[in-house]
Structures are given as C-alpha cells and as structure tokens.
Amino acid sequence: MSSKNYTRTRWDVQASDIARKTHNPIRSIVENIVIEPNPNKNMIALSIGDPTTFGNLKTAKEVIDAVQESVASQLYNGYAPSTGYQEAREAVAEYSSNEFVKVDPNDVILCSGCSCALDLCITALARPGQNILIPRPGFSIYRTLAEGLGITVRSYNLRPDSGWKIDLDDLESKIDETTAAIVINNPSNPCGSVFDRDHLLDILDIAARYYVPIIADEIYEHMVFPGRTFWSLASLSKEVPILSCSGLTKRFLVPGWRMGWITIHDRQNILDREVRKGLLSLSQRIIGSNTIVQGALPAILSKTPQKFYDDVIHTLYTQSKLAYKCIIKVPGLKPIMPDGAMYMMVYIDLGCFPEFKTELEFVQCLLMEESVFCLPGQCFDYPSYMRMVITVPEDMLQEACLRINDFCERHHCKTSHEIIRNSLRRVEIPY
C-alpha cells in the first residue's frame, strides 16, 4: 500500500528535540576525562554519590527482611496503580507527617527514584518558554531535566561564607513573570548544607510574594549532623504550594531500588485545578514504580530502627570531621565543613597552583598522580571547587587525604615571590 503524498526517498532518522536538548553536565565532564590513574596506587573514587559503592554502609536487616517478605508473598508481581499501591502511599504519608504537617495518602505519588519525582514535578509545573530557578552550586539533574523540555534554567547563588545559605537578594532578582518554580535542595548536594528554620521562612516569604511554587528536593531529609535540625519546607509553608521529592535512596542506603515519591502540599488548593491532574497523568507514563519495593514500604518505613539511622549519621559525621581536619591543613585548599548529607566542598586556590588554569586540570592531575578522583566544581556550575564524597571506608578516606596533601605539597608554589606573582591571577571565592 502506498500514499500519494509520501515523498521520503532515503533514510533520514533524526533525534527528537528532547533528546537533542538533554545534557548531563556531570556525565559529560567525567566521560571526557581520559586521564589514566597512577597504576602503582589503588584507585580511591571520592566522586560517586552512591553510599553502597564500597560495602561499608549497608541497609538495615529490617529493610532486607521487608523486601524478602514482599517477594515471598507473590502479591506484588503485577502492575500497581500508576501512583502506587494504597497501602504503600499510606505508609509514605505517615512517614512524611509530623506535628506541623499532615500528609494524606491521596497526596502521595510513588516514582522510580527521586530523579523521576523531580522529572514529573518539573514537567507538570513548567512549559517551554518558562524558567525554573535552581541552586548554584547544585545537582546537575535539574538543568538536565528542564532544558530537555525547552525550559530555561536560571541559577541563584549559594554563599560559601555563610554555610551555603541562599543569597536571597540574588534569588529574588532571578524571578520574573515566566518563572514557573523554584527548586530548593535541602540538605544539599554538593554542599552538605542544612538550612535553618528562619532561612527557610525567608525563602517561603519570597516565593509567596511572587506567587511561585517550590519543588523541594529533600532526598537527604533527616540526614543531618549533631546540632542541626531538618525542617521540611512543607512543615513551614502556610501559603506556598510545595511539591516535595524524596525516597529511600540515601537515608536507607538503597539507591538501586529506585523508590522515590512526591508529596503534594497545597493548603490553599492552588494546584488542584491543573497541576495535580497533570501529575497523575504524568505518572501514567511510567506505569508505576517498583512493585516489590512498594509491597515492602510499610514495613521499611515503620520497622527500621532508630539505631540504624543514628549509626549512619555517626559514620558520616565522624568521616566529615576526619576529612575536614585533614584537608584544612593542606596548602592551597579550603574545605567547608558540611552539616549533613554525604559531601564536602573544597575550595582550590588556583593562585597557589599556577600550572593549573582550572579546577578540572587540578582534578585530572590529582587522578593521574595519586589515583584519587574528586568531582570538579564545573559539574555543579561552580568553578574553583571540588566535591569530595565522605562515604568511603575510613582507612580509604585517610589515605585519600594523605595523597591529596602530598599532591598539593608538590604542586603548591613555594616562594613568597611566586605567591605574590600568582596572587595577581588568583580566582576569588565566588559568591
């Protein structure tokens, strides 16, 4: 059968606009690093945001038991509703509720990991030609998801001199009539920062004055160090609608299980007409999340003992202090002590390392000479920094810090003449 109007005479298969516009800065930078590690030294990757990589951090026995019971029951081998099983959504609703906020199961959408939750939220709120605001430094997935859809990204600054709090004036200056949403990441990747209650209220005040909803990336919720408190944005918001994204990935140490969720917080029913319906429609594109894990969710979220959470935090806090105490002594480096999550940002005073024009060159040479790999700040739109992951075993972290010190001792300019000369080209800490 032929068509009168069919004029194609050769193969001409092209990628879609979404495929062509989708770009992951981290993958692009890392995959283009062709430097070989030092073959005489074991590789220590301080670059991977996966707490399970080295086997020293394992999920709780109760979590494993819950999944084994889910599998054995044979009740969760089929398709689930696109938003998730009712009992699983009830478990997430209870887990996400506290004295300040009550979550209804109908406000929960289960997703294939937190990245899927973010994808649905950005897609539901923003249209091509609009913009969303994202943190700088910040996780690159926000840009990847938005720009693939033809949505413009505007970055607002975090301030390293104030524990990576948001520069509120800068945030406010980026908002205009086409701003569809503000992405707030707390606790932060890559900074390890944790916002206090007053700062979050200031953020909400700006969002309320300009009538802009918030996408809250809270995948590191509750992963905060002693002396700090995690406040969810939804627990503080009386007016601003919040789409909160979280999941099992980090706190429960099971990133490969791909279980995330969206909780819709909308006390003024601002999202009810279109956005809520849009989220439900978009959930049908993924046909639900992992059903085996859904079946285990009620037990995972209710039976995981507090001691498990406490032990993980103790390990992360101890290793953060260890890394900070080591790196603060290294010439030319300035670490910023995190308050939570799994990362530490380190400023590289490039004026002290004249042979390196960028932090990417610094990181590449560190990999080549010492077999230690940190992510360059370019991955997070923040030059002159590198990100260290602090989930590696303690002995490996100590060894990595010693190698970083040795590397900097070799490459750091030694004379006052060199220091004066290179201070003229020094890159100041960006705000």
Side-chain angles (χ1 to χ4, degrees), residues 59-67 69 296 299-300 303-305 308:
T59 194
K61 179 181 182 298
E62 290 80 2
V63 175
I64 300 297
D65 290 345
V67 171
E69 290 172 11
I300 290 174
K303 294 183 179 180
T304 301
F308 166 75

Side-chain angles (χ1 to χ4, degrees), residues 405-416:
N405 181 76
D406 291 345
F407 175 82
C408 290
E409 289 282 0
R410 286 197 305 275
H411 293 276
H412 190 272
C413 53
K414 296 296 192 297
T415 68
S416 58

Side-chain angles (χ1 to χ4, degrees), residues 316-334:
L316 297 177
Y317 182 49
T318 299
Q319 299 198 175
S320 293
K321 290 190 294 182
L322 183 156
Y324 181 83
K325 289 178 181 178
C326 290
I327 301 299
I328 195 68
K329 300 174 184 177
V330 176
L333 300 185
K334 181 183 178 181

Side-chain angles (χ1 to χ4, degrees), residues 195-225:
F195 297 153
D196 60 38
R197 185 176 184 273
D198 287 343
H199 190 57
L200 291 169
L201 289 172
D202 288 339
I203 296 166
L204 287 168
D205 179 64
I206 292 173
R209 282 191 281 116
Y210 289 93
Y211 306 100
V212 181
I214 289 177
I215 300 171
D217 180 357
E218 297 177 334
I219 190 61
Y220 296 96
E221 61 180 344
H222 308 298
M223 295 182 72
V224 300
F225 297 158

Side-chain angles (χ1 to χ4, degrees), residues 111-376:
C111 304
S112 183
C114 188
S115 58
C116 175
L118 291 164
D119 189 10
L120 266 59
C121 290
I122 291 171
T123 305
L125 284 174
R127 301 185 299 275
Q130 292 186 304
N131 68 77
I132 64 168
L133 309 188
I134 68 171
R136 190 184 82 97
F139 188 37
S140 64
I141 193 70
Y142 314 131
R143 179 179 298 276
T144 299
L145 295 172
E147 291 184 342
L149 297 170
I151 299 161
T152 301
V153 168
R154 296 179 180 175
S155 298
Y156 60 84
N157 290 326
L158 308 183
R159 296 184 58 90
D161 60 331
S162 60
W164 299 109
K165 284 185 177 180
I166 294 173
D167 182 331
L168 297 174
D169 291 336
D170 187 55
L171 172 66
E172 188 169 0
S173 73
K174 299 296 169 60
I175 299 173
D176 67 11
E177 291 291 335
T178 64
T179 302
I182 303 170
V183 176
I184 304 293
N185 179 208
N186 177 54
S188 164
N189 172 16
C191 303
S193 54
V194 178
F195 297 153
D196 60 38
R197 185 176 184 273
D198 287 343
H199 190 57
L200 291 169
L201 289 172
D202 288 339
I203 296 166
L204 287 168
D205 179 64
I206 292 173
R209 282 191 281 116
Y210 289 93
Y211 306 100
V212 181
I214 289 177
I215 300 171
D217 180 357
E218 297 177 334
I219 190 61
Y220 296 96
E221 61 180 344
H222 308 298
M223 295 182 72
V224 300
F225 297 158
R228 305 295 299 188
T229 300
F230 168 72
W231 291 90
S232 70
L233 270 167
S235 68
L236 302 175
S237 177
K238 297 179 180 178
E239 179 180 352
V240 178
I242 310 288
L243 298 181
S244 178
C245 302
S246 189
L248 296 183
T249 298
K250 306 297 185 180
R251 193 184 190 201
F252 293 85
L253 308 178
V254 288
W257 289 10
R258 311 312 302 140
M259 177 52 65
W261 50 74
I262 302 166
T263 51
I264 303 169
H265 304 273
D266 187 22
R267 298 187 185 187
Q268 304 300 321
N269 300 317
I270 296 166
L271 306 179
D272 267 5
R273 284 183 299 174
E274 292 191 0
V275 175
R276 183 184 292 269
K277 181 181 178 182
L279 284 169
L280 297 178
S281 297
L282 289 169
S283 74
Q284 295 168 7
R285 291 167 61 98
I286 62 171
I287 318 179
S289 63
N290 187 308
T291 55
I292 295 296
V293 183
Q294 285 191 46
L297 265 182
I300 290 174
L301 297 179
S302 64
K303 294 183 179 180
T304 301
Q306 185 62 41
K307 185 178 185 304
F308 166 75
Y309 304 131
D310 293 343
D311 287 347
V312 171
I313 291 298
H314 175 75
T315 297
L316 297 177
Y317 182 49
T318 299
Q319 299 198 175
S320 293
K321 290 190 294 182
L322 183 156
Y324 181 83
K325 289 178 181 178
C326 290
I327 301 299
I328 195 68
K329 300 174 184 177
V330 176
L333 300 185
K334 181 183 178 181
I336 298 178
M337 179 66 188
D339 288 319
M342 313 186 311
Y343 314 101
M344 184 169 71
M345 288 286 273
V346 179
Y347 173 63
I348 305 167
D349 188 345
L350 291 170
C352 296
F353 303 100
E355 65 194 281
F356 306 122
K357 294 180 180 179
T358 67
E359 91 286 349
L360 178 58
E361 291 183 7
F362 179 98
V363 165
Q364 288 176 318
C365 193
L366 176 63
L367 172 62
M368 180 178 67
E369 294 184 10
E370 297 292 344
S371 295
V372 174
F373 185 33
C374 301
L375 281 187

